[in-house]
Amino acid sequence: MRTTLTEENYLKALFHLVDNEGKVTINELSKFLNVKMPSVNNMMKKFADKNWVIYETYKPLIVTEKGKQEAALVVRKHRLTEMFLVKTMNFGWENVHEIAEQLEHVHSQLFFDKMDEILDYPKFDPHGEPIPDKDGNIIAQDLQKLSNCEDGETVVFASVTLSDDSFLSYLTERNLLLNTKIKVIKTESFDKSMTIEIGDKREIISKKATEKILVKK
């Protein structure tokens, strides 16, 4: 039986919230989805029937391997769509999230497989997040927040933790794009804002932004 739009939204939430032990609480889901607790409980009982989660009253949910795979496949559709919009249709990376939210609920596997083929099987979406493969497997990344970098360190901009349009526009205006080399010049002790060097240009970036920029050495 096909998953419903609501089920897919819950699955995607599980993907983003699950911890290293495969656990997530009902309260976390409720806040993330802005849905009342009784509704979340009812949905998780249905997920338990499908063997997507292990549900026990008053205990954190345990997301099963089957549940993780189902969740990853929804995220795969979203991230592939974002990549298609940027690479094939020339959308800005700040303009694709809302469209992908709608297209991710298309059920045709062939549609997304063809999209994958046209894009030459990308490993990452336009925001640097890994695209799960057809089996729901996902590449592990060893990234750190820019805010954790030391003065004098040079790193590569690899991903963002927030795909908000205004944040991505903020980065674009400062020419902060994926795979850009960033040299940390100075972190202010007062407000933790950071002076960085990109090529021959310097920018001052707020702590709020450096917390959401992920880099690799």
Side-chain angles (χ1 to χ4, degrees):
M1 185 179 292
R2 286 182 175 180
T3 52
T4 66
L5 184 151
T6 302
E7 286 175 335
E8 289 192 336
N9 285 337
Y10 271 92
L11 283 166
K12 195 165 60 168
L14 288 175
F15 179 91
H16 291 298
L17 294 174
V18 68
D19 66 16
N20 292 331
E21 296 180 343
K23 295 179 180 180
V24 59
T25 67
I26 295 291
N27 187 46
E28 287 172 323
L29 273 174
S30 174
K31 289 179 179 178
F32 187 88
L33 292 165
N34 195 25
V35 175
K36 292 181 179 178
M37 297 268 282
S39 297
V40 178
N41 272 302
N42 288 336
M43 181 61 76
M44 289 304 102
K45 288 174 184 176
K46 293 178 182 178
F47 274 29
D49 290 340
K50 293 174 183 276
N51 193 29
W52 291 348
V53 300
I54 297 170
Y55 175 91
E56 291 184 67
T57 309
Y58 305 121
K59 289 186 179 181
L61 299 159
I62 299 173
V63 184
T64 66
E65 288 305 313
K66 185 177 180 182
K68 289 176 184 177
Q69 182 184 44
E70 289 290 335
L73 292 176
V74 178
V75 171
R76 168 180 165 79
K77 293 191 292 181
H78 182 96
R79 293 180 178 174
L80 268 177
T81 300
E82 288 190 329
M83 199 61 173
F84 187 83
L85 291 167
V86 169
K87 290 296 184 182
T88 306
M89 302 186 73
N90 297 318
F91 279 82
W93 69 335
E94 72 275 16
N95 300 132
V96 295
H97 182 73
E98 288 298 322
I99 303 171
E101 286 278 299
Q102 299 169 52
L103 288 175
E104 71 187 29
H105 300 296
V106 171
H107 285 291
S108 171
Q109 187 60 50
L110 181 62
F111 177 79
F112 292 100
D113 287 348
K114 191 66 179 176
M115 191 183 285
D116 199 16
E117 180 186 337
I118 290 169
L119 292 168
D120 196 24
Y121 310 101
K123 301 297 183 185
F124 300 93
D125 75 3
H127 309 118
E129 295 180 293
I131 300 172
D133 66 17
K134 290 169 66 172
D135 298 316
N137 299 313
I138 195 162
I139 297 170
Q141 295 194 91
D142 184 19
L143 305 179
Q144 63 175 328
K145 293 177 180 179
L146 179 59
S147 58
N148 292 336
C149 294
E150 302 288 337
D151 292 357
E153 205 170 353
T154 298
V155 292
V156 177
F157 183 11
S159 185
V160 292
T161 63
L162 179 70
S163 299
D164 178 78
D165 295 357
S166 60
F167 176 56
L168 296 175
S169 295
Y170 170 91
L171 296 178
T172 302
E173 288 166 7
R174 287 155 182 79
N175 207 30
L176 260 171
L177 305 174
L178 292 186
N179 300 314
T180 300
K181 280 190 177 180
I182 301 170
K183 182 175 182 179
V184 180
I185 303 301
K186 183 180 180 182
T187 303
E188 297 293 340
S189 57
F190 172 64
D191 61 0
K192 301 302 180 184
S193 61
M194 185 179 282
T195 301
I196 61 172
E197 191 172 83
I198 312 160
D200 58 358
K201 187 178 179 183
R202 290 193 175 187
E203 291 281 356
I204 298 174
I205 306 295
S206 70
K207 182 177 187 294
K208 187 175 180 181
T210 61
E211 288 280 334
K212 294 174 174 59
I213 294 171
L214 299 179
V215 298
K216 59 185 176 183
K217 295 183 179 180

